[in-house]
Amino acid sequence: MAYRPSKQFKNTVLGTGAVVVLAALNAPAALTFAQERYHAYKIGQSSYKIQYGSWEQVRLPEEYRINAMHAALLHTGKVLLIAGSGNSQKKFDQGTFDTVLWDPQDDSFKKIPTPEDFFCSGHSQLPDGRLLVAGGTARYEVLDGKVTRAGGGMRVKNESPDKLARLKKGTRFRSPSGVEYVSKFDVTVPKAKREFEITYGRAGQVKPWRTKVVAAEARVFVEAVKAGAEGLTTEVAQYRVVGLRGKDADNVYGLAERLSVEKQDFQGIKSAYEFDPKAEKYVPVDPMKDARWYPTLVALQDGRVLAVSGLNDVGDVVPGDNEYYDPRTKQWTRGPFRYFPTYPALFLLQGGKLLYTGSNAGYGPKGKGREPGVWDLKTDKFTEVAGLEDPDRLETSSSVLLAPAQDQRVMVLGGGGVGESKLSSSRTAIVDLKEDDPVFRSSARLPQGTRYLSSVLLPDDSVFTTGGSRDYRGRGASDIHKAQFYYPRTDSFVAAADPSVGRNYHSEALLLPDGRVATFGSDPLFADKDNTRLGKFEHRLEVYSPPYLYRDPARRPVLGAGPAEVGPDGRATFEAAHPERIRRARLMRPSAVTHTTDVEQRSIELGLTRAAGSVTVEVPKDPTLVPPGWYMLFVTDADGTPSVAKWLRVGAPKPDPDPAPAPEPEE
């Protein structure tokens, strides 16, 4: 029987042929259309999808289109997309803050009331499945040339040991020369401390104790009452609090250095919340000790979370004051002292130390806190890890703990120069933390220099990388519409289908329980190659289906009924119609990602026992390898085809028998 092309195929060929004829008649626009038509035809073929996978855009109703700055997968299978004010000064001024909950199973959406501006906050998965969200925006930046009133940080002192000093937003501070500044936020200064002094006479006898008062201190951002040169203060001065009298006026005062009209950076908030996936709402908890904007939150083996870095309430990088959150008490306590640039990539290692890869999101001096190293939280010792090529191009790079986590190998991919640098790197490097003297060693290069690359662990142990741009925030139309797989065992990249949506700054990607990868956001500076038109935030939501989802669906591994929690012996048994097809099991921690920083995702190799009609998995009992919390359980066949994940809770937080000390701040 002769082959007869389908009507659809004939229409496609005829349409394409007609347009090619027009192209031959010198019609560039028609040629472009023809290329696009052919490309759409090609990527729709089954043979193409089996080799490269495919992308699909999710229909997103207008009312749910937000500037997604943060994305977190919850153990309900839904994805929390957080915008806060979404890098919009207008929304910030209006107090309009956004969060949307997306259900990938039916592509439904729900708006979540958002109590504060979580724009550029930090987040971490908690042992009970809640998501800790801490920090955010107190004030937007004002760029050089736009500042009309001098401003900066005011240190407010309280010398009274008997009462707090509570100063409301709008409090005025007056210098000896009469220049006045007004506070932009409420500030509370603790009571001063009484300290005892022991003195000795000539014969060595102890004299009666004397007490001295040590003033307490807090910070607040202030702005000049008068615009222009009249509000400038170029020298250190002590400021009287307008309205205070008598002893209060003597005890409470302000101290400030030079207050200028230079650029004023974003400022952070202290607020912290837990998002409850079942009630689908934010629940307030105790605020942090320090305000933080661009902080990293790291889940630890005992269930606590360490908050690191960020811009504080006067717009300075937190100088090294880090803090722990305990989900049992809902309170924060002082942590080890260590300085990092904002959004540092910190990974919990087997044994309880943290690896800082050098990846970060930007704010901080060029020569401070950017060297990779292993950080011992209990001693506060930091051991540098050398070997990275392009060490000056780690900003906006991506980092990932390669699968399986037992190998203790961490990879750094791409990155760029500090600040608005045009430099980018195609370098990737891997450090093996099991070595006695670990160093980074160069690995397969990316196809081109890439900033803002998203890197997602897949159930077959590969790393899916997508998006990014060559230049800062996609300048010069430099978005990279490419994706690829990295295979650790062969140290090689293999091309994947090209995404249709460009992703640079403020973009995210994460693994879904069905094995797909979802991508969100992007915040380009400009919309054209010549950088003449301002860019717009990318609202399109695009989902990638890897090639393993286009293999024979009848042979895809399936997990049946089983427990929601690992037993005391670390085991969990699930029904399986064809256990003989199942070769490997992986426990994968759900992502909480922003600014290319995802320190949550990890993939743990599990023990696997097959029986008639069931499989049993065994989870390692080391909480530094498997921190307590909810995980996706995937099983794969010999080709790496994964099942749809089952959600499995592992471990309950236990008190740390040897809690980390709180070392004194370094000079």
Side-chain angles (χ1 to χ4, degrees):
M1 181 177 177
Y3 168 73
R4 294 183 179 181
S6 67
K7 182 178 180 181
Q8 179 183 4
F9 179 80
K10 288 192 289 184
N11 288 342
T12 300
V13 172
L14 290 173
T16 302
V19 176
V20 170
V21 171
L22 289 176
L25 298 175
N26 227 356
L31 179 59
T32 300
F33 178 73
Q35 292 170 337
E36 291 176 351
R37 187 83 175 267
Y38 174 71
H39 179 69
Y41 167 77
K42 182 179 72 173
I43 66 176
Q45 302 306 297
S46 296
S47 58
Y48 182 91
K49 294 178 181 180
I50 289 172
Q51 184 173 358
Y52 299 106
S54 71
W55 291 87
E56 181 182 7
Q57 288 185 31
V58 174
R59 182 181 174 277
L60 188 59
E62 180 73 32
E63 64 266 31
Y64 299 111
R65 296 176 188 176
I66 65 171
N67 295 358
M69 302 289 173
H70 312 265
L73 176 64
L74 308 174
H75 73 89
T76 57
K78 299 179 181 181
V79 179
L80 192 70
L81 299 173
I82 305 173
S85 59
N87 204 17
S88 165
Q89 178 81 56
K90 180 180 179 181
K91 285 201 166 190
F92 177 80
D93 293 340
Q94 293 173 341
T96 305
F97 310 136
D98 297 316
T99 300
V100 164
L101 197 59
W102 168 49
D103 189 342
Q105 289 191 324
D106 60 9
D107 286 334
S108 62
F109 299 86
K110 177 182 178 180
K111 285 188 175 181
I112 303 296
T114 308
E116 299 199 46
D117 191 0
F118 297 137
F119 167 49
C120 294
S121 59
H123 25 65
S124 180
Q125 303 281 0
L126 296 176
D128 65 356
R130 295 190 180 206
L131 182 77
L132 176 65
V133 180
T137 305
R139 186 174 188 265
Y140 267 61
E141 68 180 355
V142 186
L143 301 176
D144 283 329
K146 301 287 187 179
V147 180
T148 59
R149 299 174 188 272
M154 178 76 71
R155 296 159 54 204
V156 185
K157 294 279 192 175
N158 180 16
E159 293 187 358
S160 171
D162 301 316
K163 63 179 182 179
L164 302 171
R166 300 182 189 274
L167 304 180
K168 293 291 186 182
K169 173 183 176 180
T171 297
R172 293 197 177 201
F173 296 83
R174 183 179 296 153
S175 74
S177 62
V179 178
E180 288 191 0
Y181 288 81
V182 61
S183 64
K184 305 303 290 182
F185 307 98
D186 294 346
V187 61
T188 298
V189 192
K191 297 176 184 178
K193 292 183 179 179
R194 287 192 176 96
E195 292 187 357
F196 293 100
E197 286 185 319
I198 300 176
T199 57
Y200 298 91
R202 291 182 179 178
Q205 75 276 19
V206 178
K207 290 187 174 182
W209 286 4
R210 294 188 304 181
T211 61
K212 68 174 183 179
V213 174
V214 179
E217 180 178 307
R219 293 185 307 267
V220 68
F221 187 84
V222 297
E223 191 175 68
V225 172
K226 294 183 178 180
E230 291 186 73
L232 288 175
T233 301
T234 58
E235 297 178 351
V236 177
Q238 180 169 319
Y239 291 74
R240 184 169 65 84
V241 179
V242 176
L244 293 185
R245 303 183 183 283
K247 286 187 177 181
D248 289 342
D250 294 334
N251 288 332
V252 182
Y253 53 90
L255 291 175
E257 298 181 2
R258 179 172 176 264
L259 296 169
S260 71
V261 290
E262 295 173 355
K263 176 188 174 184
Q264 296 168 357
D265 276 318
F266 282 95
Q267 293 158 24
I269 59 176
K270 298 180 180 181
S271 301
Y273 289 76
E274 291 181 358
F275 184 80
D276 184 337
K278 293 182 179 178
E280 297 184 344
K281 67 177 183 179
Y282 289 104
V283 179
V285 296
D286 271 8
M288 294 181 288
K289 307 297 181 184
D290 273 284
R292 299 180 190 273
W293 184 87
Y294 266 53
T296 292
L297 272 59
V298 189
L300 303 177
Q301 67 269 23
D302 58 3
R304 293 182 301 165
V305 174
L306 178 66
V308 174
S309 191
L311 297 189
N312 62 21
D313 47 7
V314 295
D316 298 330
V317 178
V318 175
D321 300 293
N322 308 305
E323 50 192 303
Y324 292 111
Y325 176 74
D326 190 331
R328 293 162 297 190
T329 64
K330 314 296 185 189
Q331 294 180 337
W332 297 84
T333 56
R334 186 180 177 189
F337 189 89
R338 177 69 46 185
Y339 174 90
F340 295 97
T342 54
Y343 280 135
L346 293 160
F347 293 90
L348 177 66
L349 302 178
Q350 197 164 11
K353 296 178 182 179
L354 299 181
L355 172 70
Y356 170 49
T357 63
S359 296
N360 65 87
Y363 288 83
K366 185 175 182 179
K368 185 177 180 182
R370 295 179 181 264
E371 300 81 8
V374 175
W375 185 22
D376 188 332
L377 299 180
K378 295 186 177 182
T379 64
D380 203 18
K381 182 180 179 182
F382 188 86
T383 305
E384 290 187 13
V385 176
L388 264 179
E389 180 187 348
D390 293 341
D392 61 336
R393 302 183 194 183
L394 282 169
E395 194 166 288
T396 66
S397 62
S398 177
S399 295
V400 62
L401 174 63
L402 294 174
Q406 284 91 333
D407 288 352
Q408 294 289 280
R409 300 170 73 230
V410 180
M411 186 177 192
V412 174
L413 304 94
V418 174
E420 298 187 16
S421 168
K422 295 181 68 66
L423 298 175
S424 59
S425 178
S426 63
R427 170 262 300 119
T428 77
I430 297 172
V431 58
D432 185 343
L433 279 307
K434 286 189 173 181
E435 294 181 349
D436 293 335
D437 186 18
V439 295
F440 278 100
R441 292 182 172 85
S442 295
S443 44
R445 302 190 77 86
L446 293 165
Q448 61 275 307
T450 310
R451 306 176 65 133
Y452 317 107
L453 183 72
S454 287
S455 303
V456 181
L457 290 174
L458 297 184
D460 64 357
D461 292 352
S462 65
V463 181
F464 178 68
T465 69
T466 182
S469 63
R470 290 184 299 276
D471 201 348
Y472 174 78
R473 288 184 65 176
R475 276 186 312 209
S478 62
D479 279 357
I480 299 167
H481 290 75
K482 297 290 182 184
Q484 49 273 318
F485 299 97
Y486 176 75
Y487 293 99
R489 296 189 182 187
T490 58
D491 184 32
S492 60
F493 282 100
V494 175
D498 298 339
S500 60
V501 180
R503 309 282 182 189
N504 53 68
Y505 185 52
H506 288 151
S507 64
E508 307 86 35
L510 52 77
L511 176 68
L512 298 175
D514 59 9
R516 297 180 299 161
V517 176
T519 62
F520 320 89
S522 190
D523 198 359
L525 273 180
F526 301 103
D528 64 330
K529 189 172 183 179
D530 296 327
N531 301 327
T532 58
R533 292 186 291 117
L534 291 178
K536 293 183 179 180
F537 200 95
E538 179 58 70
H539 290 149
R540 285 175 292 177
L541 193 167
E542 195 170 25
V543 178
Y544 176 71
S545 296
Y548 54 53
L549 295 180
Y550 292 99
R551 297 168 187 159
D552 184 355
R555 297 190 61 81
R556 185 178 183 184
V558 176
L559 284 178
E565 192 164 344
V566 173
D569 60 355
R571 293 172 176 265
T573 299
F574 294 85
E575 294 178 0
H578 296 282
E580 72 280 359
R581 296 179 186 170
I582 296 173
R583 298 297 179 86
R584 299 181 185 87
R586 292 292 185 267
L587 203 62
M588 303 191 72
R589 192 169 174 91
S591 287
V593 58
T594 184
H595 293 71
T596 70
T597 304
D598 186 354
V599 300
E600 287 285 356
Q601 63 172 344
R602 62 176 54 211
S603 176
I604 300 103
E605 182 176 9
L606 305 184
L608 180 66
T609 305
R610 291 179 290 271
S614 70
V615 292
T616 298
V617 296
E618 185 172 359
V619 179
K621 294 183 179 180
D622 182 352
T624 64
L625 184 66
V626 192
W630 284 89
Y631 288 78
M632 291 179 285
L633 170 63
F634 289 95
V635 292
T636 62
D637 63 14
D639 296 324
T641 306
S643 63
V644 173
K646 290 284 189 179
W647 284 98
L648 194 62
R649 187 179 178 186
V650 177
K654 298 177 181 178
D656 188 349
D658 184 20
E664 290 301 316
E666 297 177 349
E667 294 297 328

